[in-house]
Amino acid sequence: MATHIQTATIFGLYAEPVDVEVSSRSGLPSFLIVGLADTAVQEAKERVRSAIVASEFEFPRTKITINLAPADLRKSGTGFDLPIALALLESRGQLHTKNIPRFAIGELSLDGRIRPVPGVLSIATCASHAGIREMLVSEENAEEASLVPGVKIIPCKNLFDAVNHIEGKIPIPPFISKGMNLDSSHSHIDLSSVRGQEKAIRALIIAAAGGHNILFEGPPGSGKTHLARCLPGILPRLTIDEALEVTRIYSISGILPKHGYVSQRPFRSPHHSSSGIALVGGGSAPKPGEISLAHRGVLFLDEIPEFSRNVLETLRQPLEDGFVTISRANGRAVFPSRFLLVCSMNPCPCGFSNELETSCTCPLGVKNLYTRKLSGPLLDRIDLSVEVPKVPIEELITIKTGMTSKDARAKVQHARDIQISRYAGLGIFTNAELTSDMCKKYISLSQNARKLLAALVDRWDLSARSYFRALKIARTVADLDSSDIVQEAHIFQVFEYKKMRK
């Protein structure tokens, strides 16, 4: 018979509802799970058997068949343990349920305890859309599941407690969420530790304010990596909607913080030996890669020419679209990837081709091969290019402490608040996310600014993509100045950070 307790399976970023059906009849004792169940689901048989016995229930010595419907939907993960156990107990009359639609999700230990599983936020969202009134989860998953309104979240310690709650013998009170505490403070490197790089600091603030991609180029030891690691400290706090997006990604990846949600913007820094799948995501059961784990945060590629060119080329589509699509034989998964790309590189393998005091030792062919790792289309997607020169020792000693991360973050937050208000209801949060049609509607230029931009575009023979990216950066510079109209000075500042190539 079919149980009133449902569950769900994860594919990509979303969950699909699954009904657990049980057939228990006379015959040689056996335990069979059907319905495109993967290895983790098949192994539930032993966990469920042991948990039922340890919880002082009787495990039926009959021929048991568990069907996970719909049968053509692939099922994966250990979260099916709890609903299978409850369905089995109900089929044998050891669990008397009321006719209440409810979800259950959780892994069972051999002694009957309920362990947390990944993807609970997506499953709770699925339950809400299906009109489910109640959802049973482990105590560790309760905070995460409670982020979805409209569903009572019942935190269960073990199988015995879950059964007593369903039967009404010892009801478990619903979990009350404390809400999301989105921390705007960061324990990262403070911007005041940077010396003598005013131009780079200004570019960093513009990038953070509008979500624009940035490239730092300079010799070894000039502070490129240090600047990049200061960026998380000046980023604005996550909005509620952004935090839910990021939390969903981290949940299905199984790396959610203990408090049940992501409270700060991600900062991901993969090694240059990372594969394309590690960076973009994939696998037989698609999982998010680094670009999705950096969603609404920062993806830092240190020494970007050291990455494989094929790997770097996989970034082109996500940088343009803000999402990545992974197609497999059993379905298609779409992961968001709206991140701020920060890159650093030396001008050549030895790093000293632009230095006067230290001569470059790289052969011409080696240098050209090094710089050609970055294709034109990829560079076209990088908004700001900044030279980070070596700072003389005398200046490092004498220069006073500069702008703090707190002060820079206040400027960035002010600009972001303007953008969030401007684009309310559009599903975007930054100027960098504007489409070309939106640029025409939301970016107003003064007459002089329009003439200057047209002249510079013609002078450098810029592509349409570069034109619109320059326009969006100018809008961010104007937001930092609290200006409704993009002025001539804002256009000049944009092209100060554009690397032109003929």
Side-chain angles (χ1 to χ4, degrees), residues 342-363:
V342 182
C343 311
S344 73
M345 64 177 290
N346 296 323
C348 65
C350 78
F352 298 105
S353 65
N354 296 337
E355 292 295 296
L356 298 177
E357 298 179 358
T358 307
S359 59
C360 176
T361 60
C362 301

Side-chain angles (χ1 to χ4, degrees), residues 215-219 224 303-305 343-347 370-371 374:
L215 169 67
F216 293 118
E217 183 176 351
K224 304 183 296 296
E303 302 298 343
I304 187 171
C343 311
S344 73
M345 64 177 290
N346 296 323
Y370 181 80
T371 55
L374 304 182

Side-chain angles (χ1 to χ4, degrees), residues 180 182 238-247 295-296 427 429:
M180 301 179 77
L182 301 180
L238 283 166
T239 66
I240 295 293
D241 290 339
E242 288 177 322
L244 287 172
E245 290 177 4
V246 180
T247 297
H295 183 62
R296 299 299 177 189
F429 302 94

Side-chain angles (χ1 to χ4, degrees), residues 23-31 60-65 92:
S23 172
S24 178
R25 59 187 186 275
S26 60
L28 291 175
S30 64
F31 196 170
R61 299 181 60 82
T62 58
K63 187 175 183 178
I64 302 167
T65 302
R92 300 299 297 176

Side-chain angles (χ1 to χ4, degrees), residues 281-298:
S284 56
K287 292 292 184 182
E290 290 291 340
I291 64 172
S292 294
L293 294 173
H295 183 62
R296 299 299 177 189
V298 177

Side-chain angles (χ1 to χ4, degrees), residues 143-190:
E143 182 70 49
E144 174 190 350
S146 67
L147 298 176
V148 178
V151 181
K152 291 182 180 179
I153 304 302
I154 307 300
C156 302
K157 185 176 182 180
N158 51 51
L159 178 60
F160 185 79
D161 290 349
V163 170
N164 281 335
H165 169 79
I166 292 173
E167 291 188 327
K169 294 178 180 178
I170 308 177
I172 301 174
F175 183 86
I176 305 299
S177 175
K178 299 176 182 177
M180 301 179 77
N181 179 23
L182 301 180
D183 189 5
S184 60
S185 64
H186 295 73
S187 57
H188 298 278
I189 302 171
D190 197 273

Side-chain angles (χ1 to χ4, degrees), residues 428-476:
I428 64 175
F429 302 94
T430 63
N431 290 325
E433 299 173 66
L434 288 171
T435 64
S436 56
D437 289 337
M438 290 177 179
C439 287
K440 297 173 184 177
K441 181 178 180 180
Y442 291 101
I443 302 179
S444 300
L445 288 81
S446 68
Q447 188 173 359
N448 288 339
R450 192 177 300 276
K451 290 179 180 178
L452 175 61
L453 180 59
L456 290 171
V457 168
D458 183 62
R459 165 70 179 83
W460 294 106
D461 192 23
L462 297 184
S463 66
R465 180 189 292 117
S466 292
Y467 165 76
F468 283 110
R469 284 184 177 270
L471 204 56
K472 289 183 276 190
I473 300 168
R475 179 64 269 173
T476 298

